[in-house]
Amino acid sequence: MPSRRTVLAATAGVTAALALGSPAHASPPDDKKLRSLISRMTLEEKVGQLFVMRVYGHSATDPDQADIDANLKEIGVRTAAELIATYRVGGIIYFTWAHNTRDPHQIADLSNGIQRASLTRPRGLPMLIATDQEHGIVCRVGKPATLFPGAMAIGAGGSRRDARTLGRISGAELRAMGINQDYSPDADVNINPANPVIGVRSFGADPEAVAGLVAAEVAGYQSSSVAATSKHFPGHGDTAVDSHYGFPVITHSRELWETLDAVPFRAAVRAGIDSIMTAHIQFPALDDSGDPATLSHPILTGILRGELGYDGVVVTDSLGMEGVRTKYGDDRVPVLALKAGVDQLLNPPDLPVAWNAVLKAVQDGELTEARLDESILRILRLKAKLRLFQQPYVTDRGVDRTVGTRAHLAEADRIAERTTTLLVNEGHLLPLSRRSHKKVLVVGADPASPSGTTGPPTGVLAAALGELGFTATALSTGTAPSAATIAKAVAAAQDADAVVVATYNVTAGSAQQTLVQQLLATGKPVVAVAVRNPYDVAQLASVRACLATYSWTDVELRAAARVIAGRAAPRGRLPVPVQRADDPAQELYPIGYGLSY
C-alpha cells in the first residue's frame, strides 16, 4: 500500500490545481476549476478520458505472464500502467475472467496501482474504477466479500429498506477495495419470461415496484461514495435476443414505454443517479432509424437528457457486444455514440481502433473538441463528487475493517431469508420434519457457481440441511441429465426419506422434467427448488412442494434450506407473474403470490 508521502506526491498536482482545502473538509470543486483542468489537457488526454477499458492482471505493474500476453494481443500494452500511460484512459473495468478480482487485498492493491499510474502522469487525474457487482447471478467480486441476493430476489422480498441496505453495504465494501463505480442496479422491467439476458437480474415486472427498489439501491450505493449505474436505458426487459450475441428489437409503443420501461429510470434520475448505462437494443417507437439506443441521438439526447432532464454520466454497455457492432464497424461505433450523447465508452473490442477513430473524428471536424469537453466535465464532476481528487487510495486497514465482516454477512442472511418464495405446498409437505424426513437426498442442476460463491448448489443445499439436523447427501445431475444419471438419482432416492431437487430454467420436454417425474414415481416426497427462474414451477405440475430462490448463490440457498427445515417461514412474494405452461395467455400465479407457514 502507498505511504502517505507517495499519496501526497501523486495527488499534489491535481489537488493544487483545484485549490481545495484539507481532504476531510473539502467541498466538491466547482465547474470553473474543473474546466480549468480540462483546458490544460491535450486532445489525446481528452480522448482517453472518455474510455473505460478492461485490462488483464491482478497487478497494475507486475501481472502474470499469461495476462501480459493477453494484454499485448488485445490492447498492445503489457500492463494496466502501460495502458494508462499510452491511452490516458479515464476508467478501468474489473472482470473475474481478466484476473482482476482474486481477493480483497489484491483488488485494493490493483486499484491503488491504477490510481498511482494515472496520478503520476503529467496532468494526471484520478481513475473511475468500475465493475458489475449486481449480486445474484452477476458479480465480479466474490467471497470473502459479502454477497447478497440478486435483484429479483430483492423484488420478492419487496423491501426498499433491504435494497438500500444492500447498496450501502456493497458500496462500502467496493469502495474499501478501490472500486468507485458499480454498474448496478438493473432498472429493466422484466415482462418477458423468455428474456435470455435480463430475467432475474431485474427486480420484477411491476414498474412501480421496480422503480422503488432501484431508487433505494441507488441511495444505498451513493451513500457509500460509489457511483450507482442504472441500466439498460431505455429498457431491456422485453427482449428475446441476448444483446451480447444479437441485436434485440423492442416493439413497445411510445405510450407503453412511458408507463413501463421509463418508470424506473425516471425514479433513478429523481434519486440523483450518478450514471446511466445504455442498451444495445433497437426501439423503433423511440427512434425509427434502425440504430441501437447506444448510438441514438433521439433516445440519449432527446429523451434521456431532454425529457428526463438527466445531466449525469451516460456510459455505453460494453462496445464488444454484438448488439452494437451489427450495423457499424468498431471504428464508427465510438464516434457515433459520442454524437448520440454518450460520455463514457465502455470496453471497446479494439481500443487502438476506437481511440484513434475518436481522435481522427475531432481532427477532421466530425466531432468538436467542445463536445468532448462536455463529457469530460461530467466525468470530472463525478470524480470530484466521489472525492477521488482527495482520496484516491485505499488501505489494508480499510479492507479488513469493511469487507466481509460478520455484521455484513449476517445482514445478507437476514435479507435472503425474506426473499425465499413458497409456490406449492400440497398437504403441508413443508417444512420437512427431522423426525420423519431425517435422510434427505439433494439432486439436480449444478450450474457454475456465480459470484465466486462456494457452490455447487446441490452441495450447498445439502451442507446447509446437514447443519440444520438432517442427514443430507448431494448428487449432482446437471441441467440436462442423461437416462443413466436419472436412473442413478432414482436408485439413490430409494434410501432417502425425502428428495430435494434443484431445477434450473426448466423447459417443456426437458430432461429435468423427466428427472422430477421419475423421482415422484418413487413415492418419496419431492421438494423442487427453482434456483434461477421462478417460471420453472409451471413445468413441474405434479410436485407437492416448490420454492423459488431466484439465484443459486450460497446466501439464497442457505435461506431456502432454513425454509425447508422450518427454521424460517417463507416470506417472499412473486415479483413477476408465472404463466401456465399449457396456455401462456393465462396466469398460473400472479405478481404478489406466495405461501407461508
Side-chain angles (χ1 to χ4, degrees):
M1 294 290 176
S3 66
R4 179 170 172 78
R5 182 176 298 171
T6 307
V7 172
L8 291 174
T11 58
V14 286
T15 303
L18 291 168
L20 295 171
S22 65
H25 303 98
S27 17
D30 61 30
D31 282 1
K32 183 178 179 181
K33 293 170 182 174
L34 295 176
R35 286 193 175 99
S36 177
L37 279 182
I38 295 169
S39 71
R40 294 198 290 277
M41 295 168 68
T42 67
L43 176 57
E44 290 78 9
E45 289 165 357
K46 290 181 178 182
V47 170
Q49 195 64 203
L50 305 172
F51 284 92
V52 179
M53 190 58 186
R54 70 189 178 279
V55 65
Y56 291 86
H58 70 285
S59 163
T61 54
D62 189 27
D64 295 339
Q65 186 61 48
D67 293 322
I68 292 174
D69 294 343
N71 286 328
L72 286 169
K73 180 180 178 182
E74 294 187 20
I75 316 172
V77 299
R78 295 165 52 84
T79 65
E82 283 186 22
L83 167 67
I84 293 163
T86 305
Y87 292 103
R88 299 303 291 267
V89 294
I92 297 284
I93 178 172
Y94 287 170
F95 291 106
T96 310
W97 51 259
H99 310 135
N100 304 139
T101 57
R102 289 181 181 176
D103 64 74
H105 284 288
Q106 168 270 318
I107 296 169
D109 284 336
L110 174 61
S111 300
N112 283 337
I114 286 169
Q115 296 291 5
R116 194 179 304 111
S118 182
L119 287 164
T120 52
R121 305 299 303 170
R123 297 169 300 282
L125 295 168
M127 298 283 286
L128 286 170
I129 298 176
T131 199
D132 291 290
Q133 194 78 350
E134 295 179 17
H135 294 278
I137 70 170
V138 176
C139 271
R140 310 302 184 204
V141 180
K143 291 178 69 175
T146 305
L147 297 169
F148 285 91
M152 193 170 284
I154 298 297
S159 167
R160 295 181 184 183
R161 177 183 290 182
D162 285 352
R164 183 173 182 133
T165 299
L166 183 160
R168 176 180 57 78
I169 291 175
S170 178
E173 295 196 7
L174 292 174
R175 186 64 191 239
M177 294 178 276
I179 298 169
N180 48 56
Q181 185 174 20
D182 188 16
Y183 297 140
S184 187
D186 192 302
D188 300 311
V189 182
N190 197 82
I191 61 169
N192 186 345
N195 194 323
V197 66
I198 305 301
V200 295
R201 296 167 63 193
S202 160
F203 288 110
D206 178 338
E208 294 295 341
V210 172
L213 294 169
V214 165
E217 197 167 298
V218 166
Y221 274 110
Q222 294 184 182
S223 73
S224 292
S225 295
V226 167
T229 308
S230 59
K231 58 188 184 186
H232 307 79
F233 190 82
H236 212 313
D238 190 17
T239 58
V241 173
D242 186 340
S243 51
H244 290 85
Y245 310 109
F247 190 9
V249 179
I250 303 285
T251 58
H252 294 182
S253 67
R254 174 65 193 244
E255 293 71 27
L256 181 57
W257 178 80
E258 289 280 2
T259 59
L260 185 76
D261 308 280
V263 176
F265 288 101
R266 289 186 188 278
V269 172
R270 285 195 300 271
I273 185 82
D274 283 329
S275 53
I276 291 178
M277 180 179 284
T278 67
H280 302 327
I281 56 173
Q282 193 182 149
F283 210 130
L286 305 183
D287 178 0
D288 61 5
S289 69
D291 286 344
T294 298
L295 309 182
S296 169
H297 190 274
I299 291 174
L300 299 186
T301 297
I303 296 175
L304 180 57
R305 298 274 191 220
E307 295 178 25
L308 271 63
Y310 178 67
D311 194 37
V313 171
V314 174
V315 57
T316 70
D317 206 343
S318 170
L319 296 182
M321 292 165 60
E322 197 57 40
V324 79
R325 303 176 73 191
T326 298
K327 196 173 174 184
Y328 301 100
D330 291 337
D331 58 335
R332 292 301 297 156
V333 165
V335 175
L336 294 172
L338 290 169
K339 291 176 78 170
V342 156
D343 301 307
Q344 288 185 306
L345 300 161
L346 176 61
N347 200 28
D350 190 325
L351 179 63
V353 165
W355 190 92
N356 281 296
V358 174
L359 182 66
K360 185 174 186 299
V362 179
Q363 292 169 338
D364 292 349
E366 184 180 7
L367 286 169
T368 66
E369 199 163 342
R371 168 65 193 90
L372 268 57
D373 291 353
E374 287 177 23
S375 286
I376 295 165
L377 179 59
R378 291 191 188 100
I379 292 165
L380 294 187
R381 280 176 184 154
L382 179 54
K383 292 181 178 183
K385 179 186 176 185
L386 297 174
R387 307 191 316 278
L388 295 178
F389 288 99
Q390 297 84 34
Q391 299 172 18
Y393 297 106
V394 293
T395 65
D396 275 326
R397 183 165 173 260
V399 170
D400 291 336
R401 194 174 51 213
T402 310
V403 179
T405 65
R406 184 175 298 177
H408 288 178
L409 295 171
E411 193 65 59
D413 277 329
R414 282 193 291 272
I415 289 173
E417 208 163 83
R418 295 191 277 270
T419 68
T420 307
T421 307
L422 179 60
L423 299 173
V424 180
N425 194 23
E426 293 178 6
H428 301 289
L429 173 58
L430 292 178
L432 294 181
S433 162
R434 282 177 295 166
R435 290 187 295 275
S436 55
H437 301 110
K438 177 74 171 176
K439 295 176 69 175
V440 178
L441 174 68
V442 181
V443 302
D446 271 335
S449 180
S451 319
T453 60
T454 304
T458 54
V460 174
L461 278 168
L465 288 168
E467 290 172 6
L468 295 167
F470 294 86
T471 302
T473 306
L475 174 62
S476 176
T477 50
T479 55
S482 65
T485 299
I486 292 172
K488 186 177 179 182
V490 168
Q494 305 296 336
D495 194 38
D497 300 317
V499 180
V500 173
V501 55
T503 67
Y504 181 94
N505 296 3
V506 180
T507 56
S510 75
Q512 290 184 72
Q513 266 190 330
T514 306
L515 169 67
V516 173
Q517 290 299 330
Q518 293 199 20
L519 288 169
L520 287 167
T522 65
K524 302 288 183 176
V526 174
V527 178
V529 181
V531 299
R532 183 165 178 163
N533 289 335
Y535 313 113
D536 285 7
V537 67
Q539 304 289 346
L540 305 173
S542 302
V543 294
R544 289 174 52 203
C546 184
L547 295 163
T549 65
Y550 310 97
S551 181
W552 58 105
T553 48
D554 297 0
V555 68
E556 288 155 303
L557 296 174
R558 289 196 305 267
R562 291 194 294 277
V563 169
I564 290 169
R567 297 293 183 90
R571 286 187 272 173
R573 298 291 180 265
L574 279 176
V576 293
V578 174
Q579 282 79 26
R580 291 172 58 109
D582 57 351
D583 183 4
Q586 301 294 318
E587 281 188 0
L588 180 63
Y589 301 114
I591 291 176
Y593 180 85
L595 304 174
S596 194
Y597 300 153

